[in-house]
Amino acid sequence: MRLSLSIVSHGHGPAVLALLAQLAALRGPRPARVLLTINQAEPALTGPVRAMAWPFELVLLENSAPLGFGTNHNRAFARDRRSAAPADAFAVINPDIRLHGNPFAPLLAALAASRVGCVYPVQLDAAGWPQDQERRLPTPGRLLRRALARGLGRRPHEVSGGQRPDWVNAAFLLLRSDAYLSIGGFDEAYHMYCEDVDLCLRLQLAGWRLQGVPEAVVEHAAQRASHRQPRHLAWHVKSLLRLWGSPAYANFRQRQAKGSFI
């Protein structure tokens, strides 16, 4: 499978350079194309990126004004589709991801299975603890229980071994390009939050499966800005209200109750 990878930087220059260096050093399968979106002016990042020779095609996309998470990745995907050699697989990766070895061989192998539309690695925090990347459908009750658990210093994990998650966070997703195209990518009406929930629900409603790959491991230091910044909390609440009122959410709950997913 030919792989393209999308990274968005919003003042993440040093982290982006570190991730690009890791990608360049990979042996075995690695992205043929990296699409790097500069969401706000970063001369300290764009200068070094342009000056270096990369072992993959690096496409620099610079925004005149900041755009949302989903919009940026959708534009990167559209740019890839317009190329002479569009990818069979499209990865969405946060700039603060650090690779543990090469995750792409097991991820691409898993993506080749029938009706698998999205695969993802295990995410660890900086101390080596598993992140709670796999989640159940967000409901007010579940969100309240998560908040209470965190308030007591516990690590909430909604999905145990062997269970299938309803959604996974978008810090590192590897998608079949046909699957991404079939649902129109991210819903750009979401701003920073819940676009990954919505994407995962719509993939499954369209007949695609989510598949975790335990052989692929990355490190991700989740920011959880909505826990600390009022503006981010307001965006999170607004996105949750949009999600709860969406046809995708209602249809998923209905299909899930009937046990009709593949």
Side-chain angles (χ1 to χ4, degrees):
M1 279 190 175
R2 181 178 172 85
L3 170 64
S4 288
L5 186 153
S6 174
I7 305 169
V8 178
S9 179
H10 190 87
H12 296 94
V16 171
L17 289 173
L19 178 55
L20 289 175
Q22 280 200 300
L23 293 170
L26 290 177
R27 297 181 181 275
R30 66 182 171 203
R33 176 179 297 121
V34 173
L35 300 110
L36 172 59
T37 300
I38 309 299
N39 205 32
Q40 63 179 22
E42 289 186 74
L45 173 59
T46 53
V49 165
R50 287 194 177 99
M52 295 181 69
W54 302 100
F56 39 73
E57 178 189 357
L58 193 141
V59 178
L60 204 58
L61 305 172
E62 298 183 76
N63 293 338
S64 56
L67 299 173
F69 179 93
T71 302
N72 280 319
H73 287 301
N74 284 350
R75 290 191 176 192
F77 181 80
R79 170 62 178 79
D80 183 77
R81 299 301 292 178
R82 292 195 302 270
S83 69
D88 306 298
F90 180 71
V92 171
I93 299 185
N94 278 13
D96 58 354
I97 287 288
R98 293 295 167 264
L99 308 180
H100 287 205
N102 187 338
F104 294 108
L107 288 170
L108 289 169
L111 194 66
S114 176
R115 301 311 298 171
V116 172
C118 175
V119 295
Y120 54 93
V122 173
Q123 293 178 27
L124 305 177
D125 65 16
W129 290 94
Q131 295 274 25
D132 59 334
Q133 68 194 84
E134 297 178 306
R135 306 279 185 87
R136 302 285 303 281
L137 194 68
T139 64
R142 284 197 181 112
L143 293 175
L144 177 59
R145 288 192 292 273
R146 286 180 62 81
L148 290 173
R150 289 194 176 280
L152 295 171
R154 298 173 184 164
R155 291 173 171 267
H157 287 273
E158 298 177 355
V159 179
S160 58
Q163 288 186 314
R164 180 181 296 180
D166 297 329
W167 67 281
V168 292
N169 74 34
F172 192 130
L173 298 177
L174 180 54
L175 301 113
R176 191 187 296 262
S177 293
D178 288 347
Y180 194 94
L181 187 64
S182 73
I183 65 166
F186 287 100
D187 183 340
E188 298 179 10
Y190 290 94
H191 186 77
M192 286 188 65
Y193 296 100
C194 295
E195 55 269 272
D196 44 9
V197 188
D198 172 78
L199 180 86
C200 290
L201 300 187
R202 288 187 292 110
L203 279 171
Q204 293 170 92
L205 288 168
W208 299 100
R209 289 193 290 122
L210 312 178
Q211 181 67 55
V213 183
E215 297 83 6
V217 180
V218 300
E219 181 183 317
H220 176 227
Q223 298 298 312
R224 305 192 191 280
S226 66
H227 297 181
R228 304 183 308 272
Q229 300 178 25
R231 181 174 61 168
H232 284 257
L233 177 59
W235 287 338
H236 201 166
V237 170
K238 183 178 179 181
S239 290
L240 279 168
L241 293 175
R242 177 178 180 81
L243 177 72
W244 289 332
S246 70
Y249 188 87
N251 292 340
F252 188 91
R253 292 195 74 170
Q254 186 177 49
R255 289 269 302 274
Q256 191 178 55
K258 294 178 178 178
S260 57
F261 284 112
I262 56 174

